[in-house]
Amino acid sequence: MKDKLFKFYKWSNSWQGTIVLVLLFMFFVAQAFLIPSGSMKNTLLVHDALFAKKFAYGIPTPHIPWLEIPILPDFRGDGHLIDGPKPKRGDIVIFRYPLNEKIHFVKRCVAKGGDKLFVKNKQLYLRIGNDDKKTIDFAKKMKAKIVDVNGEKFAFNPYSTIHKGIHHDPEITEIDGFNAPVFNYGPIIIPEKEFFMMGDNRDHSADSRFWGTINYSQVVGKPWFIYMSWDDNYKIRWNRVGKSINEIEQNLRDGILKYPVTEGHKRLE
């Protein structure tokens, strides 16, 4: 046994062994990502470098990093080698962009299959399972207001109380053909086994309001922790380094992390 362990140790220290172990780690455990845009501000910021937990929703079919070429067939037809739990409402999810699956996006899952939602005047209205009781229970859990629309119960902006990074840009006030879905969208019922994604920076996010829902085959994982972060002037944000995404969200709830809402906004990200 000692001989085998020693051989493995020697092999793991070789350049071949190091490459194999690193690739296995990236394929099945964690992968590094850099947040390129402000669509998830103020929860995730531009230049947050983070590790994604790739086993959070099962084991996705491994791809060669950066090239995004699959190294195994999609045996199950759902983009995963091993099935796992599906994204929950409120989860921040890393997934493959439906219009170009070599690109990764990160957004918050706001609705699942069977839910009904619409956006009116930028505000999100969500009906869980298209059912009054489920909606009321969910709204209470999320500390959200319950409203009646055409005889149906909806949770009004259900994530904004718990997830403090969610916000709107008061400077975005005009509707045009490009960003109309930011103001008014739906109503729609989410197809079964699909997920509706929105950015926390609600008025600066290209998300499911523009390109539709995603399915489980496109889900890669979820953000785990930030290993480095810097601002536009390359100054390190030490108050974010080493923190898990749950810690970041708790800090936002506690008022420990505060950032200018309009800093670095682009028209749409």
Side-chain angles (χ1 to χ4, degrees), residues 173-192:
T173 58
E174 296 181 1
I175 299 178
D176 59 34
F178 180 73
N179 65 3
V182 167
F183 292 84
N184 299 297
Y185 177 88
I188 66 164
I189 296 178
I190 311 305
E192 290 298 330

Side-chain angles (χ1 to χ4, degrees), residues 41-269:
K41 289 168 58 177
N42 289 322
T43 310
L44 297 174
L45 304 182
V46 178
H47 303 147
D48 275 348
L50 56 84
F51 278 115
K53 188 187 295 185
K54 299 197 71 173
F55 54 89
Y57 303 114
I59 305 297
T61 303
H63 289 63
I64 298 174
W66 304 291
L67 298 177
E68 295 305 323
I69 298 172
I71 63 170
L72 291 173
D74 186 4
F75 298 108
R76 296 165 46 89
D78 65 0
H80 289 74
L81 294 180
I82 301 175
D83 197 5
K86 307 305 183 288
K88 301 192 295 285
R89 299 178 189 91
D91 282 0
I92 300 175
V93 182
I94 295 173
F95 56 93
R96 297 185 181 281
Y97 177 37
L99 303 184
N100 182 354
E101 295 202 352
K102 290 188 176 183
I103 300 174
H104 290 89
F105 271 25
V106 55
K107 310 285 181 185
R108 192 179 299 276
C109 175
V110 301
K112 299 170 56 177
D115 294 346
K116 184 176 183 179
L117 66 76
F118 67 92
V119 174
K120 184 176 182 181
N121 297 327
K122 296 187 182 182
Q123 311 307 311
L124 174 64
Y125 295 76
L126 177 62
R127 179 171 167 82
I128 303 300
N130 205 14
D131 178 86
D132 280 351
K133 185 178 185 307
K134 291 179 181 179
T135 301
I136 292 170
D137 291 343
F138 179 76
K140 289 179 178 177
K141 178 182 176 182
M142 301 302 294
K143 301 179 182 179
K145 182 180 178 182
I146 302 167
V147 297
D148 282 287
V149 181
N150 297 327
E152 295 179 327
K153 303 289 186 186
F154 284 83
F156 178 76
N157 282 336
Y159 302 101
S160 300
T161 301
I162 301 297
H163 303 291
K164 293 295 186 180
I166 296 173
H167 65 277
H168 292 278
D169 181 356
E171 295 184 6
I172 303 298
T173 58
E174 296 181 1
I175 299 178
D176 59 34
F178 180 73
N179 65 3
V182 167
F183 292 84
N184 299 297
Y185 177 88
I188 66 164
I189 296 178
I190 311 305
E192 290 298 330
K193 299 181 180 180
E194 298 197 5
F195 309 91
F196 196 94
M197 301 293 180
M198 293 179 71
D200 284 3
N201 191 357
R202 289 288 169 82
D203 301 344
H204 296 270
S205 173
D207 51 37
S208 289
R209 292 171 291 180
F210 292 86
W211 36 254
T213 56
I214 69 164
N215 56 55
Y216 180 58
S217 68
Q218 292 154 336
V219 171
V220 173
K222 65 191 305 182
W224 197 352
F225 67 91
I226 295 169
Y227 64 86
M228 183 52 67
S229 181
W230 62 92
D231 63 19
D232 289 340
N233 297 315
Y234 301 100
K235 182 180 178 181
I236 296 176
R237 304 183 186 113
W238 290 108
N239 60 342
R240 299 179 70 80
V241 176
K243 289 189 175 180
S244 71
I245 305 308
N246 289 337
E247 288 176 308
I248 292 291
E249 294 223 78
Q250 186 60 55
N251 287 167
L252 286 168
R253 284 191 285 272
D254 294 340
I256 296 173
L257 296 179
K258 295 181 180 179
Y259 303 99
V261 168
T262 58
E263 178 188 354
H265 272 325
K266 298 178 182 177
R267 179 173 176 79
L268 188 66
E269 299 164 326

